[in-house]
Amino acid sequence: MSAGTATAIRLNVRVSLVIALAAFVGVVAFFWPFVVAPGKFGSNYAPPLIFGVLLVLVLCVVLSEIAEGGINSKALAMLGVLSAVNAALRPLGAGTAGIETVFFVLVLAGRVYGPGFGFTLGCTSLFTSALITGGVGPWMPYQMFGCAFVGMLAGFLPRATGRREVLMLATYGSLSGYLFGFLLNLSFWPFSLDPNSSIAYLPGLPFTEQWHRYLAFDLATSLGWDTGRAVTNLVCIVLAGPAVLTTFRRAARRARFQAPVRFTTSRPAPPDGT
């Protein structure tokens, strides 16, 4: 565990295995265009809907395992507060030119409170903000899953302190901005272009040629948007990161998330004069 990290949600062996399985399902759900050709389920839109429902079920299983395995009332309260903060921050950027303000809190919280908390916060933040902004749709499970892994991976970053830590988190936040866009584009790429386009999805092509087509599609249609997200993450973490990290760690010390609870019985006060 990295320096200055307070594990708010304990990841036992069983929960870790469930998250590993969820990661596998998530990879398949995002990279389905290289696995399943559109039209095999009777409709071109069936695969993303099927995988979207599957992601929701997987996330429910993961969250229930986390809740059963090691989340206490203090961690739950912190999760609720930060989910509300992220839900309030997201409309401020509104995604204009890729400016999204939801990720930097997610990265910093995952760093301080651990990978389990980061995973859960990514899910709850996107779910809450989607309800507030009306962003509920078949894309929401993919967004929740993408943010969950952004928060979780922040909790696995190596040890660092001071300016080195802020620089490391800013670099990670910037890279995660590109990675999030790269993954989300995979979920709708096969339906977004004319099949005759040189960067469109074409079933039956070898993997390498299909991959080159997707890279060209991502660079042509999403690079500017993802750059806006990456720059926003970088600037927010560099400017606000030190203060937010200090605040999160102070709250973690006071909460003592994993401290055992002990009950003691107090003796009655002796009568006066004895």
Side-chain angles (χ1 to χ4, degrees), residues 110-148:
R111 170 66 174 178
V112 174
Y113 298 126
F117 189 92
F119 184 95
T120 311
L121 180 62
C123 295
T124 55
S125 293
L126 263 291
F127 181 75
T128 305
S129 63
L131 295 180
I132 293 176
T133 61
V136 178
W139 56 84
M140 189 178 73
Y142 294 93
Q143 292 179 335
M144 290 173 62
F145 219 89
C147 284

PDB file of all heavy atoms in Angstrom, residues 110-148:
ATOM      1  N   GLY A 110      -9.093   7.758  -4.775  1.00  0.00           N
ATOM      2  CA  GLY A 110      -8.569   6.409  -4.942  1.00  0.00           C
ATOM      3  C   GLY A 110      -7.167   6.284  -4.395  1.00  0.00           C
ATOM      4  O   GLY A 110      -6.798   5.261  -3.808  1.00  0.00           O
ATOM      5  N   ARG A 111      -6.371   7.340  -4.562  1.00  0.00           N
ATOM      6  CA  ARG A 111      -5.001   7.339  -4.040  1.00  0.00           C
ATOM      7  C   ARG A 111      -4.977   7.270  -2.514  1.00  0.00           C
ATOM      8  O   ARG A 111      -4.217   6.497  -1.925  1.00  0.00           O
ATOM      9  CB  ARG A 111      -4.295   8.608  -4.510  1.00  0.00           C
ATOM     10  CG  ARG A 111      -2.948   8.893  -3.860  1.00  0.00           C
ATOM     11  CD  ARG A 111      -1.927   7.862  -4.242  1.00  0.00           C
ATOM     12  NE  ARG A 111      -0.596   8.201  -3.745  1.00  0.00           N
ATOM     13  CZ  ARG A 111       0.475   7.450  -3.908  1.00  0.00           C
ATOM     14  NH1 ARG A 111       0.374   6.300  -4.553  1.00  0.00           N
ATOM     15  NH2 ARG A 111       1.648   7.821  -3.444  1.00  0.00           N
ATOM     16  N   VAL A 112      -5.813   8.066  -1.862  1.00  0.00           N
ATOM     17  CA  VAL A 112      -5.769   8.165  -0.404  1.00  0.00           C
ATOM     18  C   VAL A 112      -6.525   7.017   0.261  1.00  0.00           C
ATOM     19  O   VAL A 112      -6.024   6.413   1.227  1.00  0.00           O
ATOM     20  CB  VAL A 112      -6.351   9.519   0.053  1.00  0.00           C
ATOM     21  CG1 VAL A 112      -6.448   9.567   1.581  1.00  0.00           C
ATOM     22  CG2 VAL A 112      -5.487  10.666  -0.452  1.00  0.00           C
ATOM     23  N   TYR A 113      -7.717   6.688  -0.237  1.00  0.00           N
ATOM     24  CA  TYR A 113      -8.576   5.732   0.458  1.00  0.00           C
ATOM     25  C   TYR A 113      -8.481   4.307  -0.073  1.00  0.00           C
ATOM     26  O   TYR A 113      -9.158   3.421   0.452  1.00  0.00           O
ATOM     27  CB  TYR A 113     -10.019   6.209   0.408  1.00  0.00           C
ATOM     28  CG  TYR A 113     -10.223   7.539   1.094  1.00  0.00           C
ATOM     29  CD1 TYR A 113     -10.820   8.606   0.439  1.00  0.00           C
ATOM     30  CD2 TYR A 113      -9.793   7.739   2.402  1.00  0.00           C
ATOM     31  CE1 TYR A 113     -11.001   9.823   1.068  1.00  0.00           C
ATOM     32  CE2 TYR A 113      -9.956   8.950   3.034  1.00  0.00           C
ATOM     33  CZ  TYR A 113     -10.563   9.989   2.359  1.00  0.00           C
ATOM     34  OH  TYR A 113     -10.732  11.208   2.984  1.00  0.00           O
ATOM     35  N   GLY A 114      -7.676   4.077  -1.096  1.00  0.00           N
ATOM     36  CA  GLY A 114      -7.428   2.717  -1.535  1.00  0.00           C
ATOM     37  C   GLY A 114      -8.208   2.306  -2.769  1.00  0.00           C
ATOM     38  O   GLY A 114      -9.179   2.964  -3.178  1.00  0.00           O
ATOM     39  N   PRO A 115      -7.793   1.199  -3.405  1.00  0.00           N
ATOM     40  CA  PRO A 115      -8.405   0.765  -4.668  1.00  0.00           C
ATOM     41  C   PRO A 115      -9.872   0.376  -4.551  1.00  0.00           C
ATOM     42  O   PRO A 115     -10.658   0.632  -5.464  1.00  0.00           O
ATOM     43  CB  PRO A 115      -7.545  -0.427  -5.095  1.00  0.00           C
ATOM     44  CG  PRO A 115      -6.847  -0.876  -3.847  1.00  0.00           C
ATOM     45  CD  PRO A 115      -6.661   0.342  -3.007  1.00  0.00           C
ATOM     46  N   GLY A 116     -10.256  -0.266  -3.430  1.00  0.00           N
ATOM     47  CA  GLY A 116     -11.660  -0.647  -3.275  1.00  0.00           C
ATOM     48  C   GLY A 116     -12.570   0.562  -3.214  1.00  0.00           C
ATOM     49  O   GLY A 116     -13.646   0.585  -3.825  1.00  0.00           O
ATOM     50  N   PHE A 117     -12.138   1.584  -2.485  1.00  0.00           N
ATOM     51  CA  PHE A 117     -12.917   2.812  -2.395  1.00  0.00           C
ATOM     52  C   PHE A 117     -12.957   3.509  -3.747  1.00  0.00           C
ATOM     53  O   PHE A 117     -14.004   4.018  -4.160  1.00  0.00           O
ATOM     54  CB  PHE A 117     -12.303   3.735  -1.342  1.00  0.00           C
ATOM     55  CG  PHE A 117     -13.147   4.935  -1.016  1.00  0.00           C
ATOM     56  CD1 PHE A 117     -14.065   4.887   0.016  1.00  0.00           C
ATOM     57  CD2 PHE A 117     -13.016   6.117  -1.730  1.00  0.00           C
ATOM     58  CE1 PHE A 117     -14.848   5.997   0.327  1.00  0.00           C
ATOM     59  CE2 PHE A 117     -13.780   7.222  -1.442  1.00  0.00           C
ATOM     60  CZ  PHE A 117     -14.704   7.169  -0.415  1.00  0.00           C
ATOM     61  N   GLY A 118     -11.816   3.543  -4.458  1.00  0.00           N
ATOM     62  CA  GLY A 118     -11.789   4.179  -5.772  1.00  0.00           C
ATOM     63  C   GLY A 118     -12.716   3.505  -6.757  1.00  0.00           C
ATOM     64  O   GLY A 118     -13.410   4.177  -7.533  1.00  0.00           O
ATOM     65  N   PHE A 119     -12.743   2.170  -6.729  1.00  0.00           N
ATOM     66  CA  PHE A 119     -13.641   1.430  -7.625  1.00  0.00           C
ATOM     67  C   PHE A 119     -15.097   1.775  -7.326  1.00  0.00           C
ATOM     68  O   PHE A 119     -15.883   2.066  -8.236  1.00  0.00           O
ATOM     69  CB  PHE A 119     -13.407  -0.071  -7.454  1.00  0.00           C
ATOM     70  CG  PHE A 119     -14.200  -0.935  -8.394  1.00  0.00           C
ATOM     71  CD1 PHE A 119     -13.642  -1.375  -9.572  1.00  0.00           C
ATOM     72  CD2 PHE A 119     -15.505  -1.313  -8.100  1.00  0.00           C
ATOM     73  CE1 PHE A 119     -14.375  -2.169 -10.451  1.00  0.00           C
ATOM     74  CE2 PHE A 119     -16.243  -2.092  -8.960  1.00  0.00           C
ATOM     75  CZ  PHE A 119     -15.662  -2.535 -10.145  1.00  0.00           C
ATOM     76  N   THR A 120     -15.454   1.740  -6.053  1.00  0.00           N
ATOM     77  CA  THR A 120     -16.840   2.009  -5.665  1.00  0.00           C
ATOM     78  C   THR A 120     -17.235   3.444  -5.952  1.00  0.00           C
ATOM     79  O   THR A 120     -18.347   3.707  -6.435  1.00  0.00           O
ATOM     80  CB  THR A 120     -17.033   1.706  -4.167  1.00  0.00           C
ATOM     81  OG1 THR A 120     -16.501   0.413  -3.871  1.00  0.00           O
ATOM     82  CG2 THR A 120     -18.493   1.739  -3.780  1.00  0.00           C
ATOM     83  N   LEU A 121     -16.335   4.399  -5.677  1.00  0.00           N
ATOM     84  CA  LEU A 121     -16.637   5.803  -5.924  1.00  0.00           C
ATOM     85  C   LEU A 121     -16.840   6.077  -7.409  1.00  0.00           C
ATOM     86  O   LEU A 121     -17.704   6.879  -7.786  1.00  0.00           O
ATOM     87  CB  LEU A 121     -15.508   6.678  -5.372  1.00  0.00           C
ATOM     88  CG  LEU A 121     -15.681   8.191  -5.554  1.00  0.00           C
ATOM     89  CD1 LEU A 121     -16.914   8.689  -4.808  1.00  0.00           C
ATOM     90  CD2 LEU A 121     -14.440   8.933  -5.065  1.00  0.00           C
ATOM     91  N   GLY A 122     -16.064   5.411  -8.265  1.00  0.00           N
ATOM     92  CA  GLY A 122     -16.260   5.587  -9.697  1.00  0.00           C
ATOM     93  C   GLY A 122     -17.654   5.175 -10.136  1.00  0.00           C
ATOM     94  O   GLY A 122     -18.296   5.865 -10.940  1.00  0.00           O
ATOM     95  N   CYS A 123     -18.139   4.069  -9.580  1.00  0.00           N
ATOM     96  CA  CYS A 123     -19.495   3.605  -9.920  1.00  0.00           C
ATOM     97  C   CYS A 123     -20.561   4.561  -9.411  1.00  0.00           C
ATOM     98  O   CYS A 123     -21.453   4.983 -10.166  1.00  0.00           O
ATOM     99  CB  CYS A 123     -19.725   2.216  -9.341  1.00  0.00           C
ATOM    100  SG  CYS A 123     -18.690   0.921 -10.034  1.00  0.00           S
ATOM    101  N   THR A 124     -20.474   4.899  -8.136  1.00  0.00           N
ATOM    102  CA  THR A 124     -21.535   5.710  -7.530  1.00  0.00           C
ATOM    103  C   THR A 124     -21.529   7.145  -8.054  1.00  0.00           C
ATOM    104  O   THR A 124     -22.588   7.754  -8.197  1.00  0.00           O
ATOM    105  CB  THR A 124     -21.390   5.715  -6.005  1.00  0.00           C
ATOM    106  OG1 THR A 124     -20.073   6.167  -5.646  1.00  0.00           O
ATOM    107  CG2 THR A 124     -21.596   4.316  -5.439  1.00  0.00           C
ATOM    108  N   SER A 125     -20.350   7.696  -8.349  1.00  0.00           N
ATOM    109  CA  SER A 125     -20.280   9.066  -8.853  1.00  0.00           C
ATOM    110  C   SER A 125     -20.984   9.190 -10.191  1.00  0.00           C
ATOM    111  O   SER A 125     -21.792  10.105 -10.413  1.00  0.00           O
ATOM    112  CB  SER A 125     -18.823   9.509  -9.000  1.00  0.00           C
ATOM    113  OG  SER A 125     -18.189   9.607  -7.750  1.00  0.00           O
ATOM    114  N   LEU A 126     -20.681   8.273 -11.112  1.00  0.00           N
ATOM    115  CA  LEU A 126     -21.291   8.339 -12.438  1.00  0.00           C
ATOM    116  C   LEU A 126     -22.777   8.037 -12.386  1.00  0.00           C
ATOM    117  O   LEU A 126     -23.571   8.657 -13.095  1.00  0.00           O
ATOM    118  CB  LEU A 126     -20.579   7.375 -13.389  1.00  0.00           C
ATOM    119  CG  LEU A 126     -19.513   8.000 -14.277  1.00  0.00           C
ATOM    120  CD1 LEU A 126     -20.134   8.924 -15.316  1.00  0.00           C
ATOM    121  CD2 LEU A 126     -18.480   8.756 -13.478  1.00  0.00           C
ATOM    122  N   PHE A 127     -23.170   7.105 -11.524  1.00  0.00           N
ATOM    123  CA  PHE A 127     -24.589   6.777 -11.405  1.00  0.00           C
ATOM    124  C   PHE A 127     -25.363   7.978 -10.865  1.00  0.00           C
ATOM    125  O   PHE A 127     -26.415   8.345 -11.394  1.00  0.00           O
ATOM    126  CB  PHE A 127     -24.773   5.579 -10.480  1.00  0.00           C
ATOM    127  CG  PHE A 127     -26.197   5.156 -10.302  1.00  0.00           C
ATOM    128  CD1 PHE A 127     -26.863   4.470 -11.296  1.00  0.00           C
ATOM    129  CD2 PHE A 127     -26.879   5.466  -9.131  1.00  0.00           C
ATOM    130  CE1 PHE A 127     -28.188   4.088 -11.134  1.00  0.00           C
ATOM    131  CE2 PHE A 127     -28.203   5.086  -8.955  1.00  0.00           C
ATOM    132  CZ  PHE A 127     -28.859   4.402  -9.964  1.00  0.00           C
ATOM    133  N   THR A 128     -24.841   8.622  -9.816  1.00  0.00           N
ATOM    134  CA  THR A 128     -25.521   9.770  -9.226  1.00  0.00           C
ATOM    135  C   THR A 128     -25.592  10.936 -10.191  1.00  0.00           C
ATOM    136  O   THR A 128     -26.645  11.571 -10.352  1.00  0.00           O
ATOM    137  CB  THR A 128     -24.780  10.214  -7.941  1.00  0.00           C
ATOM    138  OG1 THR A 128     -24.663   9.103  -7.056  1.00  0.00           O
ATOM    139  CG2 THR A 128     -25.537  11.337  -7.250  1.00  0.00           C
ATOM    140  N   SER A 129     -24.483  11.241 -10.863  1.00  0.00           N
ATOM    141  CA  SER A 129     -24.476  12.375 -11.786  1.00  0.00           C
ATOM    142  C   SER A 129     -25.368  12.112 -12.993  1.00  0.00           C
ATOM    143  O   SER A 129     -25.980  13.035 -13.534  1.00  0.00           O
ATOM    144  CB  SER A 129     -23.049  12.675 -12.244  1.00  0.00           C
ATOM    145  OG  SER A 129     -22.518  11.588 -12.969  1.00  0.00           O
ATOM    146  N   ALA A 130     -25.458  10.840 -13.420  1.00  0.00           N
ATOM    147  CA  ALA A 130     -26.343  10.510 -14.542  1.00  0.00           C
ATOM    148  C   ALA A 130     -27.807  10.762 -14.180  1.00  0.00           C
ATOM    149  O   ALA A 130     -28.592  11.253 -14.995  1.00  0.00           O
ATOM    150  CB  ALA A 130     -26.141   9.056 -14.959  1.00  0.00           C
ATOM    151  N   LEU A 131     -28.180  10.448 -12.937  1.00  0.00           N
ATOM    152  CA  LEU A 131     -29.552  10.712 -12.499  1.00  0.00           C
ATOM    153  C   LEU A 131     -29.834  12.209 -12.438  1.00  0.00           C
ATOM    154  O   LEU A 131     -30.934  12.659 -12.789  1.00  0.00           O
ATOM    155  CB  LEU A 131     -29.791  10.082 -11.123  1.00  0.00           C
ATOM    156  CG  LEU A 131     -29.739   8.556 -11.041  1.00  0.00           C
ATOM    157  CD1 LEU A 131     -29.985   8.103  -9.617  1.00  0.00           C
ATOM    158  CD2 LEU A 131     -30.745   7.920 -11.992  1.00  0.00           C
ATOM    159  N   ILE A 132     -28.831  12.994 -12.016  1.00  0.00           N
ATOM    160  CA  ILE A 132     -29.023  14.445 -11.887  1.00  0.00           C
ATOM    161  C   ILE A 132     -29.079  15.123 -13.246  1.00  0.00           C
ATOM    162  O   ILE A 132     -29.918  15.992 -13.489  1.00  0.00           O
ATOM    163  CB  ILE A 132     -27.899  15.053 -11.026  1.00  0.00           C
ATOM    164  CG1 ILE A 132     -28.010  14.549  -9.581  1.00  0.00           C
ATOM    165  CG2 ILE A 132     -27.953  16.585 -11.053  1.00  0.00           C
ATOM    166  CD1 ILE A 132     -26.884  15.010  -8.688  1.00  0.00           C
ATOM    167  N   THR A 133     -28.195  14.723 -14.156  1.00  0.00           N
ATOM    168  CA  THR A 133     -28.090  15.402 -15.451  1.00  0.00           C
ATOM    169  C   THR A 133     -28.956  14.764 -16.534  1.00  0.00           C
ATOM    170  O   THR A 133     -28.985  15.267 -17.663  1.00  0.00           O
ATOM    171  CB  THR A 133     -26.631  15.398 -15.924  1.00  0.00           C
ATOM    172  OG1 THR A 133     -26.179  14.037 -16.072  1.00  0.00           O
ATOM    173  CG2 THR A 133     -25.741  16.125 -14.930  1.00  0.00           C
ATOM    174  N   GLY A 134     -29.638  13.672 -16.221  1.00  0.00           N
ATOM    175  CA  GLY A 134     -30.444  13.005 -17.240  1.00  0.00           C
ATOM    176  C   GLY A 134     -29.595  12.217 -18.224  1.00  0.00           C
ATOM    177  O   GLY A 134     -30.017  12.002 -19.364  1.00  0.00           O
ATOM    178  N   GLY A 135     -28.422  11.783 -17.784  1.00  0.00           N
ATOM    179  CA  GLY A 135     -27.525  11.063 -18.680  1.00  0.00           C
ATOM    180  C   GLY A 135     -27.669   9.562 -18.604  1.00  0.00           C
ATOM    181  O   GLY A 135     -26.701   8.833 -18.832  1.00  0.00           O
ATOM    182  N   VAL A 136     -28.877   9.089 -18.296  1.00  0.00           N
ATOM    183  CA  VAL A 136     -29.106   7.646 -18.194  1.00  0.00           C
ATOM    184  C   VAL A 136     -29.341   7.082 -19.590  1.00  0.00           C
ATOM    185  O   VAL A 136     -30.147   7.595 -20.358  1.00  0.00           O
ATOM    186  CB  VAL A 136     -30.310   7.340 -17.288  1.00  0.00           C
ATOM    187  CG1 VAL A 136     -30.566   5.840 -17.229  1.00  0.00           C
ATOM    188  CG2 VAL A 136     -30.082   7.900 -15.893  1.00  0.00           C
ATOM    189  N   GLY A 137     -28.609   6.052 -19.921  1.00  0.00           N
ATOM    190  CA  GLY A 137     -28.745   5.441 -21.233  1.00  0.00           C
ATOM    191  C   GLY A 137     -27.890   4.198 -21.319  1.00  0.00           C
ATOM    192  O   GLY A 137     -27.222   3.816 -20.344  1.00  0.00           O
ATOM    193  N   PRO A 138     -27.854   3.540 -22.483  1.00  0.00           N
ATOM    194  CA  PRO A 138     -27.059   2.313 -22.621  1.00  0.00           C
ATOM    195  C   PRO A 138     -25.563   2.542 -22.449  1.00  0.00           C
ATOM    196  O   PRO A 138     -24.809   1.592 -22.250  1.00  0.00           O
ATOM    197  CB  PRO A 138     -27.390   1.836 -24.046  1.00  0.00           C
ATOM    198  CG  PRO A 138     -27.923   3.040 -24.751  1.00  0.00           C
ATOM    199  CD  PRO A 138     -28.592   3.865 -23.708  1.00  0.00           C
ATOM    200  N   TRP A 139     -25.125   3.802 -22.556  1.00  0.00           N
ATOM    201  CA  TRP A 139     -23.706   4.112 -22.369  1.00  0.00           C
ATOM    202  C   TRP A 139     -23.308   4.188 -20.889  1.00  0.00           C
ATOM    203  O   TRP A 139     -22.135   4.132 -20.569  1.00  0.00           O
ATOM    204  CB  TRP A 139     -23.399   5.458 -23.029  1.00  0.00           C
ATOM    205  CG  TRP A 139     -24.269   6.564 -22.509  1.00  0.00           C
ATOM    206  CD1 TRP A 139     -24.096   7.324 -21.379  1.00  0.00           C
ATOM    207  CD2 TRP A 139     -25.509   6.990 -23.072  1.00  0.00           C
ATOM    208  NE1 TRP A 139     -25.123   8.205 -21.205  1.00  0.00           N
ATOM    209  CE2 TRP A 139     -26.019   8.024 -22.231  1.00  0.00           C
ATOM    210  CE3 TRP A 139     -26.238   6.626 -24.206  1.00  0.00           C
ATOM    211  CZ2 TRP A 139     -27.215   8.672 -22.507  1.00  0.00           C
ATOM    212  CZ3 TRP A 139     -27.424   7.277 -24.476  1.00  0.00           C
ATOM    213  CH2 TRP A 139     -27.906   8.289 -23.630  1.00  0.00           C
ATOM    214  N   MET A 140     -24.283   4.349 -19.992  1.00  0.00           N
ATOM    215  CA  MET A 140     -23.969   4.583 -18.582  1.00  0.00           C
ATOM    216  C   MET A 140     -23.179   3.447 -17.938  1.00  0.00           C
ATOM    217  O   MET A 140     -22.212   3.718 -17.203  1.00  0.00           O
ATOM    218  CB  MET A 140     -25.252   4.851 -17.788  1.00  0.00           C
ATOM    219  CG  MET A 140     -24.989   5.327 -16.350  1.00  0.00           C
ATOM    220  SD  MET A 140     -26.509   5.683 -15.446  1.00  0.00           S
ATOM    221  CE  MET A 140     -27.118   4.013 -15.172  1.00  0.00           C
ATOM    222  N   PRO A 141     -23.513   2.162 -18.151  1.00  0.00           N
ATOM    223  CA  PRO A 141     -22.696   1.106 -17.532  1.00  0.00           C
ATOM    224  C   PRO A 141     -21.239   1.167 -17.965  1.00  0.00           C
ATOM    225  O   PRO A 141     -20.339   0.898 -17.159  1.00  0.00           O
ATOM    226  CB  PRO A 141     -23.369  -0.185 -18.014  1.00  0.00           C
ATOM    227  CG  PRO A 141     -24.765   0.214 -18.350  1.00  0.00           C
ATOM    228  CD  PRO A 141     -24.673   1.601 -18.864  1.00  0.00           C
ATOM    229  N   TYR A 142     -20.997   1.522 -19.223  1.00  0.00           N
ATOM    230  CA  TYR A 142     -19.621   1.623 -19.705  1.00  0.00           C
ATOM    231  C   TYR A 142     -18.902   2.785 -19.018  1.00  0.00           C
ATOM    232  O   TYR A 142     -17.724   2.678 -18.651  1.00  0.00           O
ATOM    233  CB  TYR A 142     -19.607   1.809 -21.224  1.00  0.00           C
ATOM    234  CG  TYR A 142     -20.130   0.618 -21.983  1.00  0.00           C
ATOM    235  CD1 TYR A 142     -21.467   0.522 -22.348  1.00  0.00           C
ATOM    236  CD2 TYR A 142     -19.276  -0.424 -22.341  1.00  0.00           C
ATOM    237  CE1 TYR A 142     -21.952  -0.577 -23.046  1.00  0.00           C
ATOM    238  CE2 TYR A 142     -19.749  -1.534 -23.047  1.00  0.00           C
ATOM    239  CZ  TYR A 142     -21.083  -1.590 -23.389  1.00  0.00           C
ATOM    240  OH  TYR A 142     -21.557  -2.694 -24.071  1.00  0.00           O
ATOM    241  N   GLN A 143     -19.593   3.905 -18.851  1.00  0.00           N
ATOM    242  CA  GLN A 143     -18.992   5.041 -18.148  1.00  0.00           C
ATOM    243  C   GLN A 143     -18.705   4.698 -16.694  1.00  0.00           C
ATOM    244  O   GLN A 143     -17.644   5.054 -16.156  1.00  0.00           O
ATOM    245  CB  GLN A 143     -19.923   6.256 -18.228  1.00  0.00           C
ATOM    246  CG  GLN A 143     -20.059   6.846 -19.615  1.00  0.00           C
ATOM    247  CD  GLN A 143     -21.005   8.026 -19.643  1.00  0.00           C
ATOM    248  OE1 GLN A 143     -21.909   8.149 -18.802  1.00  0.00           O
ATOM    249  NE2 GLN A 143     -20.821   8.920 -20.604  1.00  0.00           N
ATOM    250  N   MET A 144     -19.639   4.025 -16.040  1.00  0.00           N
ATOM    251  CA  MET A 144     -19.441   3.626 -14.648  1.00  0.00           C
ATOM    252  C   MET A 144     -18.238   2.699 -14.522  1.00  0.00           C
ATOM    253  O   MET A 144     -17.400   2.867 -13.630  1.00  0.00           O
ATOM    254  CB  MET A 144     -20.703   2.933 -14.112  1.00  0.00           C
ATOM    255  CG  MET A 144     -21.893   3.846 -13.921  1.00  0.00           C
ATOM    256  SD  MET A 144     -23.405   2.935 -13.496  1.00  0.00           S
ATOM    257  CE  MET A 144     -22.941   2.188 -11.933  1.00  0.00           C
ATOM    258  N   PHE A 145     -18.142   1.740 -15.424  1.00  0.00           N
ATOM    259  CA  PHE A 145     -17.049   0.792 -15.359  1.00  0.00           C
ATOM    260  C   PHE A 145     -15.721   1.479 -15.636  1.00  0.00           C
ATOM    261  O   PHE A 145     -14.709   1.218 -14.970  1.00  0.00           O
ATOM    262  CB  PHE A 145     -17.278  -0.336 -16.369  1.00  0.00           C
ATOM    263  CG  PHE A 145     -16.879  -1.683 -15.858  1.00  0.00           C
ATOM    264  CD1 PHE A 145     -17.784  -2.472 -15.175  1.00  0.00           C
ATOM    265  CD2 PHE A 145     -15.600  -2.155 -16.052  1.00  0.00           C
ATOM    266  CE1 PHE A 145     -17.426  -3.720 -14.704  1.00  0.00           C
ATOM    267  CE2 PHE A 145     -15.234  -3.394 -15.579  1.00  0.00           C
ATOM    268  CZ  PHE A 145     -16.143  -4.194 -14.902  1.00  0.00           C
ATOM    269  N   GLY A 146     -15.691   2.364 -16.636  1.00  0.00           N
ATOM    270  CA  GLY A 146     -14.459   3.087 -16.946  1.00  0.00           C
ATOM    271  C   GLY A 146     -13.985   3.919 -15.770  1.00  0.00           C
ATOM    272  O   GLY A 146     -12.798   3.901 -15.411  1.00  0.00           O
ATOM    273  N   CYS A 147     -14.896   4.652 -15.131  1.00  0.00           N
ATOM    274  CA  CYS A 147     -14.526   5.477 -13.979  1.00  0.00           C
ATOM    275  C   CYS A 147     -14.134   4.611 -12.782  1.00  0.00           C
ATOM    276  O   CYS A 147     -13.252   4.986 -12.002  1.00  0.00           O
ATOM    277  CB  CYS A 147     -15.684   6.397 -13.593  1.00  0.00           C
ATOM    278  SG  CYS A 147     -15.865   7.797 -14.706  1.00  0.00           S
ATOM    279  N   ALA A 148     -14.777   3.466 -12.631  1.00  0.00           N
ATOM    280  CA  ALA A 148     -14.435   2.569 -11.527  1.00  0.00           C
ATOM    281  C   ALA A 148     -12.981   2.141 -11.610  1.00  0.00           C
ATOM    282  O   ALA A 148     -12.260   2.117 -10.604  1.00  0.00           O
ATOM    283  CB  ALA A 148     -15.353   1.351 -11.536  1.00  0.00           C
TER     284      ALA A 148
END
